[in-house]
CSV table of all heavy atoms in Angstrom, one decimal:
chain,number,residue,atom,x,y,z
A,178,ASP,N,-18.5,38.3,45.1
A,178,ASP,CA,-19.0,38.4,46.6
A,178,ASP,C,-20.5,38.3,46.7
A,178,ASP,O,-21.1,37.6,47.4
A,178,ASP,CB,-18.3,39.3,47.5
A,178,ASP,CG,-18.5,40.8,46.8
A,178,ASP,OD1,-18.6,40.9,45.6
A,178,ASP,OD2,-18.4,41.7,47.5
A,179,LYS,N,-21.1,39.2,45.8
A,179,LYS,CA,-22.6,39.3,45.8
A,179,LYS,C,-23.2,38.1,45.2
A,179,LYS,O,-24.3,37.6,45.5
A,179,LYS,CB,-23.1,40.4,45.0
A,179,LYS,CG,-22.7,41.8,45.8
A,179,LYS,CD,-23.6,42.0,47.0
A,179,LYS,CE,-22.9,43.2,47.7
A,179,LYS,NZ,-23.4,43.1,49.2
A,180,LEU,N,-22.5,37.4,44.2
A,180,LEU,CA,-23.1,36.2,43.5
A,180,LEU,C,-23.2,35.1,44.6
A,180,LEU,O,-24.0,34.4,44.6
A,180,LEU,CB,-22.2,35.9,42.3
A,180,LEU,CG,-22.4,34.5,41.7
A,180,LEU,CD1,-23.9,34.6,41.1
A,180,LEU,CD2,-21.4,34.4,40.6
A,181,ILE,N,-22.0,35.1,45.4
A,181,ILE,CA,-21.8,34.0,46.4
A,181,ILE,C,-23.0,34.2,47.3
A,181,ILE,O,-23.7,33.1,47.8
A,181,ILE,CB,-20.5,34.1,47.1
A,181,ILE,CG1,-19.5,33.6,46.2
A,181,ILE,CG2,-20.5,33.3,48.4
A,181,ILE,CD1,-18.1,34.0,46.6
A,182,GLU,N,-23.4,35.3,47.7
A,182,GLU,CA,-24.6,35.6,48.6
A,182,GLU,C,-25.9,35.2,48.1
A,182,GLU,O,-26.7,34.6,48.8
A,182,GLU,CB,-24.7,37.2,49.0
A,182,GLU,CG,-23.6,37.4,50.0
A,182,GLU,CD,-23.5,39.1,50.3
A,182,GLU,OE1,-24.6,39.8,49.9
A,182,GLU,OE2,-22.5,39.5,50.8
A,183,ILE,N,-26.0,35.4,46.8
A,183,ILE,CA,-27.3,34.9,46.0
A,183,ILE,C,-27.4,33.3,46.1
A,183,ILE,O,-28.4,32.9,46.5
A,183,ILE,CB,-27.4,35.4,44.6
A,183,ILE,CG1,-27.5,36.9,44.6
A,183,ILE,CG2,-28.5,34.6,43.8
A,183,ILE,CD1,-27.6,37.4,43.1
A,184,ILE,N,-26.3,32.6,46.0
A,184,ILE,CA,-26.3,31.2,46.0
A,184,ILE,C,-26.7,30.7,47.4
A,184,ILE,O,-27.5,29.8,47.5
A,184,ILE,CB,-25.0,30.6,45.4
A,184,ILE,CG1,-24.8,31.0,44.0
A,184,ILE,CG2,-24.9,29.1,45.6
A,184,ILE,CD1,-23.4,30.6,43.4
A,185,VAL,N,-26.0,31.4,48.3
A,185,VAL,CA,-26.2,30.9,49.8
A,185,VAL,C,-27.7,31.2,50.1
A,185,VAL,O,-28.3,30.4,50.8
A,185,VAL,CB,-25.2,31.7,50.7
A,185,VAL,CG1,-25.6,31.4,52.1
A,185,VAL,CG2,-23.9,31.2,50.4
A,186,SER,N,-28.2,32.4,49.7
A,186,SER,CA,-29.7,32.7,50.2
A,186,SER,C,-30.6,31.8,49.5
A,186,SER,O,-31.6,31.4,50.1
A,186,SER,CB,-29.9,34.2,49.8
A,186,SER,OG,-28.9,35.2,50.3
A,187,LEU,N,-30.3,31.4,48.2
A,187,LEU,CA,-31.2,30.6,47.6
A,187,LEU,C,-31.2,29.1,48.4
A,187,LEU,O,-32.3,28.6,48.5
A,187,LEU,CB,-30.8,30.4,46.1
A,187,LEU,CG,-31.7,29.2,45.4
A,187,LEU,CD1,-33.2,29.6,45.3
A,187,LEU,CD2,-31.1,29.1,44.0
A,188,SER,N,-30.0,28.7,48.8
A,188,SER,CA,-29.9,27.6,49.5
A,188,SER,C,-30.7,27.6,50.8
A,188,SER,O,-31.4,26.7,51.1
A,188,SER,CB,-28.4,27.2,49.8
A,188,SER,OG,-28.3,26.4,50.9
A,189,ASP,N,-30.5,28.8,51.4
A,189,ASP,CA,-31.5,29.0,52.8
A,189,ASP,C,-32.8,28.9,52.5
A,189,ASP,O,-33.7,28.3,53.3
A,189,ASP,CB,-31.1,30.3,53.3
A,189,ASP,CG,-29.5,30.4,53.9
A,189,ASP,OD1,-29.0,29.5,54.1
A,189,ASP,OD2,-29.2,31.7,54.2
A,190,LEU,N,-33.4,29.6,51.5
A,190,LEU,CA,-34.8,29.8,51.3
A,190,LEU,C,-35.3,28.3,50.7
A,190,LEU,O,-36.5,28.0,51.2
A,190,LEU,CB,-35.1,30.9,50.4
A,190,LEU,CG,-35.1,30.8,48.9
A,190,LEU,CD1,-36.3,30.2,48.3
A,190,LEU,CD2,-35.0,32.3,48.4
A,191,SER,N,-34.5,27.6,50.1
A,191,SER,CA,-35.0,26.2,49.5
A,191,SER,C,-35.2,25.3,50.7
A,191,SER,O,-35.9,24.4,50.5
A,191,SER,CB,-33.9,25.6,48.7
A,191,SER,OG,-33.6,26.5,47.5
Side-chain angles (χ1 to χ4, degrees):
D178 52 338
K179 293 286 170 203
L180 173 61
I181 288 169
E182 286 176 17
I183 291 176
I184 295 172
V185 172
S186 300
L187 176 61
S188 157
D189 290 346
L190 82 84
S191 299

